[in-house]
């Protein structure tokens, strides 16, 4: 059996999945001040009376790091940054202890200027003086040649508890994001480590000596050990867990939208052939633009509890939520009240809802029941319009070849999967006002925990070969090999795939379920003076997000429940 | 946090799957390192910089500018439709005020493509700036346009297209035509009899450095622009003046290009040539983007940059100053020069030979222009090329008077079908494009 646990803002959901589907599902209130206790009580209820040897896997998704960053409750970090020519790296400052040093690498990974050891020494001295224990080191183009970062690491690592190196984050070229991501990893490392070590101990005390997997923002998982090197990957894993959960109930391989309609917001994502569409670069969180792979999502401030107001005959839904619906004792009218008035929601106090809608009916110059219909209709239309914004953003993603521009896949979902309290009511109306076929995820209340439980390990590897210089490298994997002039893009894909498989297993995947997908494969002839002097090859491969194979059966059972 | 002082749109389309031939300067690899640099610098994340996906132009967008022989499809490929489409996308973003300025980093280039197109010249098939400009004139209230071509090669295609258009100021700064392809672009090339003065050629001696380019911009280009008062300024931003460019002999730098852009303040820049793909383009493009967006570019330097070693000689400086004075004097006297050129004649004729180096075609043209006092005049081109094609191309200008317009249609209707393999009409006054057979 597997345990899936998702700590949300209000509730923590836990499921226990067995060969026959959901064995148990529980909800406990989240105490954001005591997340560890919340996790513990969630686990206690779910495993009570289950023999520990029956449980083979546990996957956790928490708001720990997201909250820490949002509330600036992270530890001090020392950043060492080397840039060379280009934009002034001061613009990318992440924190007070941010030292810019000399040294530069060019776009082909050649050293332009060496690192100055004295400057590094000086930075170390400053950090030690401030009591800093965690350091990030980032160089421009370190993904093409990590030598400078490695050198600096050698020089400084004995002085600090942990050093994070930019080139290990991702093979993607984006220096400012690499700085921000390295910083975030270092900043959340201590709390992440403390928390998960505590979880591991507590599981061991219960007799559960099983691998812990941790949910990531891209809808995949990583194991406890690798999470220590990439703790920031856990940021915003909650929404990803919900999307993965809805995957178990997807109609078929056709494109579909996933919508999670909550009280305050509606979150949307897109599935193509059972795979969520990923953001091409990474998460943006507050001021930080990162290289943390994530599901491409769109969150709008429209939900069941959004405050409704009318100004000059125009209905406004949200953006704020000031409390629950009036039908449930709240202070302001909401779309949920509209559903009560319309008689669709039956368990609320309809009279209170009607009271709340008096002003709205006056503002719209119509009866209360008409006002309710109009408010609900507008709420649905706003959500559909925003879905269009998300689809447009995905389809407008720039491409750089004629082939992609002509043949590039355009997502065009005709189906929506909805999760959330008011989902059934929205589903009906969406079908009335659009051409979408709409389905409600059956166990939406615990879809996030199901998603966490069933998500597979994901990862990515980039390989860069330059046959003129005679090298193929994958700096994130600390891999480098000598190649000759005949090294081809097929060889590159082969090499990258091997690295990817090793990485996936290292991060917790089971070897038999690795499906490698090539997401980038470009090869350029390098020419000097009308002669071809070599090939420049760029390959990127990934294990894409999806559900683990061995529980296909479970997913099947779930979808028929 | 980094923020653009001027919101700037970018279309980046490196066409990684298109080349003239595998080792040709215009090949897949050309913008590869530029892309690496732009991506690694995180340029597209800067607040106020917006990347757009290029749209495709239509065949009519091409017909608005060119006479394609035998037709649009036969002289273009998808890549040209995207490259011109990238320029069009940026221009729309600027005109719709979604951004203040825009830069189309696209390939293949276009400034050697002339009005009549039998094939490719100087790596160009269709003129992407002209296609963009004529689209703007159709879709927006744009009349007066200035094009400043800072590619190292004379923009002879753009010059040809706007030779008879007094509403388009074309200024080309380039390496002296006696030392470089295409061998034209001298100060005495000033435009046709009805548009004399609005074509300005500023040849610069080999080994001109930043000092010379910036002198030309400050002392000649900017005052003339001030005078002309264009609705919009376009920069044909070729980057082959760079000291490391393999096919030219100039000494310009990334810092110089950025400074030029800061001074010129183009509304729209369109990439043209530039073949030092590793040593120059990544840094020059970065400098231009930052300058357009109003972001500090003082740290953008390419490998091997040494301003002292690039300094131009006093003889070069003097030559640039002399040319500048001559051009300013021509500009001030342009109306009297025009009267002299017209010489009271009703028609003006010229014969010329045009070589298409990329496709190895020679074309002969016989052109007849009506010198009109009410508009810039209708003209026709009798063009024959190797291979037996001979066409008659009639151009009715945007602001054509009734008489010129009807003469254009008369030329088109009465052309001898046995003499020509095709007869074309480009009626810009009505946005109508006809062809027979
Ligand atoms: Zn050129
Ligand atoms: Zn006329």
């Amino acid at each position: 059996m597997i345990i899936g646990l998702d700590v949300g803002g209000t509730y923590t959901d836990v499921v226990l999945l067995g060969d026959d589907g959901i064995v148990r599902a529980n909800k406990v209130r989240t105490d954001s001040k005591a997340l560890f206790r919340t996790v513990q009580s969630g686990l206690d209820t779910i495993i009570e009376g289950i023999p520990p040897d029956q449980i083979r896997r546990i996957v956790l998704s928490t708001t720990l790091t997201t909250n820490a960053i949002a509330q600036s409750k992270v530890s001090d970090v020392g950043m060492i940054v080397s840039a060379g020519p280009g934009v002034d790296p001061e613009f990318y400052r992440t924190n007070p202890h941010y030292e810019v040093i000399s040294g530069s690498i060019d776009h082909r990974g050649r050293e332009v200027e060496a690192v100055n050891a004295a400057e590094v020494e000086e930075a170390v001295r400053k950090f030690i003086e401030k009591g800093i224990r965690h350091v990030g080191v980032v160089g421009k183009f370190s993904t093409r040649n990590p030598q400078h970062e490695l050198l600096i690491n050698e020089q400084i690592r004995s002085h600090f508890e942990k050093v994070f190196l930019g080139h290990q984050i991702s093979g993607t070229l984006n220096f400012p994001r690499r700085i921000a991501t390295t910083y975030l990893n270092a900043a959340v490392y201590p709390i992440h480590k403390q928390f998960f070590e505590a979880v591991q101990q507590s599981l061991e005390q219960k007799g559960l000596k099983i691998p812990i997997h941790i949910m990531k923002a891209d809808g995949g998982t990583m194991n406890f050990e690798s999470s220590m090197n990439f703790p920031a990957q856990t940021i915003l894993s909650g929404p990803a867990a919900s999307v993965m959960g809805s995957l178990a109930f997807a109609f078929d391989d056709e494109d579909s939208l996933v919508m999670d309609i909550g009280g305050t917001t509606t979150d949307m994502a897109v599935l193509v052939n059972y795979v969520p569409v990923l953001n091409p670069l990474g998460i943006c969180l507050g001021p930080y633009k990162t290289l943390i792979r994530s599901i491409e999502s769109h969150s709008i401030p429209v939900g069941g509890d959004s405050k409704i107001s009318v100004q000059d005959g125009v209905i406004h839904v949200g953006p704020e939520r000031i409390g629950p619906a009036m039908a449930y004792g709240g202070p302001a009218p909401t779309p949920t009240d509209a559903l009560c008035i319309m008689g669709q929601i039956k368990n609320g106090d309809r009279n209170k809802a009607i009271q709340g809608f008096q002003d709205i009916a006056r503002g719209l110059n119509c009866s209360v029941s008409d006002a309710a219909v109009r408010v609900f209709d507008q709420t649905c239309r706003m959500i559909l319009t925003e879905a269009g914004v998300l689809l447009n953003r995905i389809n407008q993603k720039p491409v750089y070849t004629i082939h992609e521009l002509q043949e590039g896949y355009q997502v065009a979902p005709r189906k929506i999967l909805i999760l959330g309290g008011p989902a059934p009511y929205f589903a009906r109306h969406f079908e009335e006002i659009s051409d979408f076929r709409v389905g409600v995820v059956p166990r939406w209340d615990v879809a996030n925990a199901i998603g966490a439980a069933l998500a597979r390990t994901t990862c990515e590897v980039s390989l860069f070969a330059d046959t003129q210089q005679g090298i193929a490298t994958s700096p994130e994997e600390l891999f480098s090999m000598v190649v000759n002039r005949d090294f081809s893009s097929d060889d590159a894909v082969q090499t990258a795939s091997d690295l990817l498989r090793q990485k996936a297993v290292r991060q917790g995947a089971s070897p038999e379920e690795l499906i490698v997908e090539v997401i980038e494969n470009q090869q350029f002839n390098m020419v000097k003076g009308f002669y071809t002097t070599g090939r420049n090859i760029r390959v990127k491969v990934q294990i894409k997000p999806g559900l683990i194979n061995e529980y296909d059966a479970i997913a099947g059972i779930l979808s028929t429940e | 946090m980094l923020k653009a002082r001027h919101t700037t749109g970018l279309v980046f389309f490196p066409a990684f799957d298109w080349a003239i031939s595998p080792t040709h300067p215009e090949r897949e690899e050309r913008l590869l390192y530029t892309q690496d640099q732009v991506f690694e610098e995180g340029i597209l994340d800067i607040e106020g910089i917006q990347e757009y996906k290029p749209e495709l132009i239509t065949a009519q967008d091409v017909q608005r500018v060119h006479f394609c022989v035998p037709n649009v499809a036969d002289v273009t490929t998808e890549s040209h439709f995207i490259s011109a489409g990238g320029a069009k996308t940026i221009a729309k973003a600027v005109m719709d005020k979604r951004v203040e300025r825009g830069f189309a980093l696209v390939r293949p280039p276009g400034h050697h493509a002339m009005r009549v197109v039998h094939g490719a010249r100087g790596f160009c098939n269709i003129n992407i700036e002209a296609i963009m400009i004529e689209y703007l004139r159709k879709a927006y209230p744009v009349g007066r346009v200035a094009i400043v071509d800072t590619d190292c090669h004379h923009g002879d295609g753009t010059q040809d297209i706007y030779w008879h258009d007094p509403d388009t100021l074309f200024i080309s700064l380039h390496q002296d035509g006696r030392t470089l392809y295409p061998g034209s672009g001298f100060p005495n090339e000033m435009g046709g009899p009805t548009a004399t003065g609005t074509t300005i050629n500023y040849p610069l001696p080999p080994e001109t450095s930043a000092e010379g380019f910036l002198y030309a911009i400050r002392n000649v280009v900017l005052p003339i622009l001030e005078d002309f008062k264009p609705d919009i300024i376009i920069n044909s931003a070729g980057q082959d003046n760079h000291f490391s460019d393999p096919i030219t002999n100039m000494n310009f730098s990334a810092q110089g290009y950025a400074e030029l852009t800061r001074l010129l303040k183009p509304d729209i820049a369109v990439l043209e040539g530039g073949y030092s793909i590793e040593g120059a383009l990544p840094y020059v493009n970065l400098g231009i983007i930052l300058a357009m967006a109003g972001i500090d570019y003082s740290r953008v330097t390419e490998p091997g940059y040494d301003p002292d070693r690039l300094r131009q000689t006093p003889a070069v400086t003097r030559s640039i100053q002399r040319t500048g004075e001559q051009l300013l004097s021509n500009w001030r006297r342009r109306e009297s020069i025009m009267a002299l050129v017209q010489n009271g004649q009703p028609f003006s004729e010229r014969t010329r030979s045009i070589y298409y180096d990329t496709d190895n075609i020679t074309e002969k043209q016989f052109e007849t222009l009506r010198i009109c006092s009410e508009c810039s005049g209708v003209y026709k081109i009798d063009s024959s090329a190797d291979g037996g094609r001979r066409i008659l191309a009639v151009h009715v200008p945007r602001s054509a008077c009734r008489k010129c317009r009807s003469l254009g249609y008369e030329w088109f209707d009465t052309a001898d079908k046995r003499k020509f393999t095709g007869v074309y009409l480009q009626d810009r006054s009505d946005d109508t494009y006809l062809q027979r057979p």
Side-chain angles (χ1 to χ4, degrees):
Chain A
M1 288 187 276
I2 330 172
I3 299 171
L5 183 146
D6 177 54
V7 181
T10 321
Y11 291 104
T12 292
D13 298 312
V14 204
V15 292
L16 182 66
L17 301 182
D19 292 338
D20 307 321
I22 299 176
V23 180
R24 278 180 195 171
N26 269 326
K27 248 182 205 316
V28 296
R29 260 201 180 276
T30 299
D31 180 354
S32 60
K33 293 197 179 61
L35 281 187
F36 176 64
R37 212 165 331 119
T38 304
V39 168
Q40 236 181 353
S41 68
L43 289 176
D44 284 344
T45 55
I46 209 89
I47 58 173
E48 204 191 325
I50 306 281
D53 63 345
Q54 297 274 299
I55 298 167
R56 301 177 36 199
R57 172 184 159 93
I58 175 163
V59 188
L60 298 160
S61 161
T62 82
T63 48
L64 180 75
T65 51
T66 317
N67 289 349
I69 294 164
Q71 297 158 8
S72 299
K73 284 181 183 155
V74 294
S75 64
D76 275 353
V77 172
M79 290 296 290
I80 298 179
V81 172
S82 79
V87 177
D88 186 348
E90 187 52 42
F91 284 120
Y92 305 130
R93 172 180 284 276
T94 41
N95 60 316
H97 315 299
Y98 180 98
E99 301 294 327
V100 176
I101 60 162
S102 8
S104 120
I105 303 273
D106 79 358
H107 46 78
R108 273 180 67 190
R110 295 167 301 202
E111 181 178 73
V112 177
E113 184 194 20
V115 173
N116 181 334
E119 289 174 10
V120 177
E121 206 48 58
E122 176 60 16
V124 167
R125 194 189 57 75
K126 285 187 191 165
F127 295 162
I128 292 174
E129 210 166 79
K130 299 283 175 201
I132 284 168
R133 309 275 301 123
H134 310 102
V135 172
V137 179
V138 186
K140 194 179 281 180
F141 285 115
S142 65
T143 47
R144 285 290 154 76
N145 177 357
Q147 212 47 52
H148 285 180
E149 288 181 5
L150 293 170
L151 260 172
I152 296 169
N153 185 37
E154 277 310 307
Q155 191 183 337
I156 71 173
R157 66 183 177 148
S158 60
H159 298 289
F160 303 102
E161 185 191 341
K162 194 160 173 76
V163 177
F164 290 84
L165 304 181
H167 71 271
Q168 291 175 349
I169 303 283
S170 153
T172 303
L173 290 176
N174 194 314
F175 180 52
R177 283 183 184 245
R178 198 177 313 124
I179 294 173
T181 313
T182 307
Y183 164 73
L184 289 177
N185 273 306
V188 299
Y189 171 75
I191 45 165
H192 178 85
K193 181 169 188 275
Q194 192 195 6
F195 181 83
F196 281 95
E197 281 178 353
V199 171
Q200 195 178 38
Q201 268 173 23
S202 138
L203 286 173
E204 276 173 16
Q205 280 162 14
K206 297 183 210 315
L208 289 168
K209 290 199 170 161
I210 49 171
I212 299 179
H213 298 262
I214 298 163
M215 193 77 196
K216 301 188 297 174
D218 70 352
T221 65
M222 59 183 165
N223 59 16
F224 174 82
E225 292 73 25
S226 49
S227 79
M228 292 304 150
N229 292 323
F230 307 102
Q233 303 255 26
T234 62
I235 290 168
L236 295 180
S237 63
S242 298
V243 173
M244 296 315 288
S246 67
L247 209 64
F249 308 101
F251 292 94
D252 51 33
D253 59 0
E254 280 185 40
D255 298 359
S256 51
L257 270 161
V258 178
M259 282 184 189
D260 189 347
I261 302 173
T264 319
T265 61
T266 295
D267 298 315
M268 307 179 202
V270 175
L271 302 178
V272 172
N273 194 12
Y274 295 110
V275 181
V277 174
L278 297 181
N279 178 294
L281 280 171
I283 283 177
C284 297
L285 181 68
Y288 304 106
K289 289 182 172 159
T290 75
L291 289 173
I292 299 166
R293 251 165 61 117
S294 73
I295 290 176
E296 179 78 78
S297 63
H298 188 50
S299 183
I300 57 166
V302 175
D305 297 341
S306 292
K307 181 187 156 219
I308 304 288
S309 59
V310 173
Q311 261 172 351
D312 302 326
V314 178
I315 302 168
H316 295 275
V317 183
E320 61 282 294
R321 170 192 191 268
I322 48 177
M326 293 186 78
Y328 298 99
T334 67
T336 303
D337 290 314
L339 286 166
C340 274
I341 296 168
M342 290 158 72
Q344 301 210 11
I345 292 180
K346 299 215 163 51
N347 60 5
D349 184 338
R350 187 160 181 266
N351 287 330
K352 280 199 176 141
I354 291 173
Q355 245 171 45
F357 260 68
Q358 295 298 337
D359 276 353
I360 292 167
R362 238 189 321 277
L364 294 174
N365 204 8
C366 67
S367 69
V368 164
S369 58
D370 282 353
V373 169
R374 283 171 63 182
V375 162
F376 182 61
D377 179 70
Q378 167 140 347
T379 307
C380 289
R381 286 180 196 274
M382 279 172 75
I383 292 172
L384 288 178
T385 305
E386 292 294 329
V389 171
L390 171 64
L391 296 177
N392 208 33
R393 190 164 81 211
I394 293 170
N395 287 331
Q396 280 302 310
K397 183 179 79 98
V399 295
Y400 304 110
T401 61
I402 296 165
H403 177 79
E404 283 174 290
L405 195 73
Q406 289 177 316
E407 314 290 334
Y409 188 75
Q410 297 279 298
V411 297
R414 302 285 6 125
K415 293 167 184 173
I416 305 177
L417 279 167
I418 339 187
L419 308 85
Y425 317 111
F426 278 82
R428 216 168 305 141
H429 197 57
F430 281 150
E431 287 198 335
E432 282 162 11
I433 60 173
S434 73
D435 297 332
F436 284 106
R437 214 181 109 203
V438 187
V440 177
V441 174
R443 290 306 304 268
W444 61 264
D445 54 330
V446 287
N448 45 355
I450 295 173
L454 296 181
R456 75 164 76 117
T457 302
T458 53
C459 56
E460 191 181 81
V461 163
S462 306
L463 187 97
F464 173 74
D466 183 331
T467 67
Q468 189 188 330
Q469 296 188 66
I471 48 158
T473 60
S474 178
E476 16 165 358
E477 300 309 295
L478 269 184
F479 171 86
S480 171
M481 73 189 267
V482 175
V483 297
N484 63 20
R485 294 283 298 274
D486 303 326
F487 191 78
S488 68
S489 70
D490 285 349
D491 297 331
V493 167
Q494 191 57 52
T495 310
S497 303
D498 291 344
L499 290 169
L500 182 74
R501 283 192 204 94
Q502 291 162 21
K503 182 179 192 172
V505 170
R506 212 167 56 234
Q507 299 202 342
S510 57
E512 60 275 10
E513 59 171 333
L514 300 177
I515 303 161
V516 175
E517 187 189 26
V518 179
I519 44 179
E520 187 186 319
N521 183 2
Q522 291 182 303
Q523 172 173 303
F524 298 89
N525 287 326
M526 296 188 288
V527 177
K528 272 246 152 62
F530 296 93
Y531 293 101
T532 303
T533 53
R535 272 193 290 261
N536 192 303
I537 302 167
R538 288 106 191 265
V539 164
K540 203 174 253 187
V541 291
Q542 70 164 349
I543 310 280
K544 60 191 173 191
L547 304 182
I548 50 178
N549 289 348
E550 56 180 312
Y551 284 93
D552 262 3
I554 298 182
I557 294 162
L558 287 173
S559 62
T560 53
E561 258 178 24
Chain B
M1 207 64 197
L2 199 48
K3 195 168 178 249
R5 187 150 8 106
H6 307 285
T7 55
T8 301
L10 291 179
V11 162
F12 184 70
F13 195 76
F16 284 148
D17 48 358
W18 183 84
I20 289 180
S21 70
T23 58
H24 194 281
E26 199 49 78
R27 64 179 180 273
E28 296 90 341
E29 187 195 4
R30 189 174 155 225
L31 290 177
L32 182 63
Y33 311 108
T34 293
Q35 185 195 55
D36 286 351
Q37 196 76 35
V38 168
F39 282 10
E40 177 68 351
E41 297 282 356
I43 294 301
L44 303 173
D45 280 334
I46 295 174
E47 195 186 333
I49 291 187
Q50 173 70 42
E51 184 181 19
Y52 297 99
K53 191 175 184 173
E55 60 188 295
L56 268 70
I57 51 160
T58 63
Q60 196 183 43
D61 290 333
V62 180
Q63 288 172 321
R64 210 172 276 126
V65 170
H66 294 293
F67 297 107
C68 294
V69 189
N71 54 50
V72 174
D74 278 30
V75 293
T76 55
T77 66
E78 209 64 36
S79 65
H80 303 108
F81 272 62
I82 302 169
S83 167
K88 179 177 169 179
T89 302
I90 277 299
K92 283 163 77 173
V94 170
M95 295 310 298
D96 294 338
K97 300 202 163 33
R98 278 175 282 149
V99 285
E100 287 169 61
R101 301 167 169 185
F103 183 17
L105 267 145
V106 294
R107 56 180 286 268
H111 77 147
H112 295 302
M114 297 187 167
R115 178 73 74 190
V116 178
V117 176
H118 286 277
R121 297 183 71 247
F123 320 161
C124 305
N125 291 53
I126 54 173
N127 196 302
I128 61 180
E129 288 92 338
I131 287 171
M132 169 185 87
I133 291 166
E134 294 314 305
Y135 170 79
L136 287 186
R137 282 178 160 150
K138 183 202 149 248
Y140 299 91
V142 171
R144 292 169 79 74
V145 175
I147 307 164
V148 181
D149 187 326
T150 50
D151 189 278
C152 190
H153 301 91
H154 175 223
D156 56 347
T158 314
Q159 166 167 312
D160 178 72
I161 290 165
Y162 291 111
W163 187 250
H164 297 300
D165 182 354
D167 294 328
T168 305
L169 175 67
F170 175 68
I171 306 178
S172 181
L173 271 67
H174 47 262
Q175 185 176 327
D176 192 326
R178 288 168 297 190
T179 61
L180 188 69
Y181 176 89
S184 53
F186 299 100
N188 64 352
E189 296 165 39
M190 294 176 61
T194 56
T196 315
T198 49
T199 293
I200 294 170
N201 280 296
Y202 203 145
L204 302 165
E207 271 140 42
T208 295
S209 64
E211 184 192 339
F213 281 95
L214 299 177
Y215 173 90
I217 296 290
R218 281 201 187 94
N219 296 286
V220 181
V221 176
L222 292 181
I224 291 175
L225 285 174
E226 179 83 6
D227 233 11
F228 182 76
K229 295 190 176 42
D231 300 330
I232 187 167
I233 298 174
I234 316 291
N235 180 207
S236 291
Q239 305 176 357
D240 35 12
N241 287 300
H242 194 265
F243 65 83
S244 65
D245 199 275
I247 65 176
T248 62
N249 317 90
M250 300 300 245
N251 279 336
F252 209 24
S253 59
Q255 278 293 310
Y257 267 108
E259 180 72 4
L260 181 153
T261 309
R262 188 184 68 84
L263 290 170
L264 190 60
K265 300 183 191 66
D267 299 289
I268 300 162
V270 178
L271 177 66
E272 279 292 335
Y275 302 97
S276 172
I277 63 176
E278 269 198 64
L281 265 58
Y283 309 95
V284 174
N285 280 309
L286 182 63
I288 292 178
I289 294 170
L290 294 178
M292 288 200 77
I295 297 170
D296 171 52
Y297 52 77
S298 58
R299 288 171 174 244
V300 179
T301 50
E302 59 281 68
Y305 174 60
D306 177 356
D308 287 335
R309 275 189 47 213
L310 295 174
R311 195 143 295 167
Q312 67 194 32
T313 62
V316 166
T317 305
R318 273 196 306 277
S319 153
I320 294 171
Q321 286 172 355
R322 265 199 312 275
T323 312
E325 280 153 21
Q326 184 191 350
L327 292 173
L328 283 172
S329 145
N330 286 353
W331 174 252
R332 284 190 292 264
R333 296 185 301 121
R334 63 189 181 282
E335 279 170 22
S336 55
I337 300 174
M338 174 140 61
L340 237 106
V341 173
Q342 292 187 356
N343 195 22
Q345 297 296 312
F347 287 93
S348 155
E349 292 175 344
R350 61 172 177 162
T351 307
R352 45 194 196 129
S353 174
I354 295 159
Y355 181 58
Y356 293 67
D357 60 309
T358 307
D359 280 351
N360 190 24
I361 298 169
T362 304
E363 178 198 1
K364 288 253 177 317
Q365 282 193 6
F366 180 66
E367 182 191 274
T368 309
L369 165 80
R370 177 166 189 262
I371 299 179
C372 177
S373 55
E374 280 162 60
C375 73
S376 60
V378 62
Y379 63 87
K380 61 176 174 181
I381 304 165
D382 176 344
S383 153
S384 41
D386 312 338
R389 287 214 170 91
R390 180 177 176 190
I391 63 143
L392 185 75
V394 179
H395 175 86
V396 176
R398 255 184 354 274
S399 56
C401 66
R402 276 215 345 253
K403 242 176 156 173
C404 283
R405 187 163 184 269
S406 61
L407 177 60
Y409 277 83
E410 188 188 315
W411 280 342
F412 176 71
D413 290 334
T414 60
D416 185 347
K417 265 183 268 177
R418 283 160 307 179
K419 248 167 62 184
F420 299 107
T421 54
V423 183
Y424 301 72
L425 176 79
Q426 196 173 54
D427 181 359
R428 288 291 291 116
S429 68
D430 197 26
D431 207 28
T432 298
Y433 310 96
L434 305 173
Q435 179 177 348
R436 52 189 185 94

